[in-house]
Amino acid sequence: MAQGKAASTQQDVEELSAQMAALKSDLGAITETLKSLGVHSGEEAAARARELAAQVQKTGREGLSYAQNSAEEMGAQAAQAVRNQPATAMGLAVGVGFLLGFISGRK
C-alpha cells in the first residue's frame, strides 16, 4: 500500500510538472501575443499622428496662403484709395502720426 501511494504521488508530481510546463508555454504565447498587439497599436498610433500632422500642415499652408492673398488685396485697396483721394490719405496720416506722438510723448 505504501508503494501504491508513493507511485501515485510520483505520478501526481509528474502530471503537475507537465501541467506547469504547458502553463509556461501558454504564458509565453500570451506574452508574445500581447507584445505584438502593443507593437501594432504603437504603429497605428504613429501612423495616425503622421496623418494628423500632415493634415495640420496642409491646413496651415492654406491659412497662410489665404492671409497672404488677403494682405495683398488690402494693400492694393489702400494704394488705390491713396491714388483716388491723396488729400484725405495725407490728412489721415498726419492725424495718426499726431496721436501716436501725443500718446508716446506722455510718460
Side-chain angles (χ1 to χ4, degrees):
M1 179 126 135
Q3 279 190 352
K5 208 174 198 186
S8 175
T9 303
Q10 181 64 28
Q11 189 179 13
D12 289 343
V13 168
E14 289 173 3
E15 189 177 314
L16 184 59
S17 293
Q19 288 177 356
M20 287 180 67
L23 184 59
K24 279 177 86 175
S25 175
D26 290 346
L27 283 175
I30 290 171
T31 301
E32 287 300 316
T33 301
L34 290 175
K35 182 179 168 184
S36 69
L37 282 174
V39 168
H40 185 66
S41 296
E43 290 170 354
E44 283 182 8
R48 277 186 266 146
R50 281 190 295 272
E51 184 180 312
L52 182 60
Q55 197 174 33
V56 167
Q57 188 177 28
K58 180 183 175 190
T59 303
R61 283 186 195 140
E62 290 172 354
L64 178 63
S65 177
Y66 177 77
Q68 286 174 335
N69 291 338
S70 296
E72 289 173 3
E73 186 178 319
M74 283 190 269
Q77 287 176 354
Q80 187 63 37
V82 169
R83 283 188 201 105
N84 291 341
Q85 299 175 348
T88 304
M90 186 62 102
L92 282 173
V94 168
V96 169
F98 177 76
L99 283 175
L100 288 175
F102 185 72
I103 290 171
S104 65
R106 280 186 133 194
K107 290 185 181 180

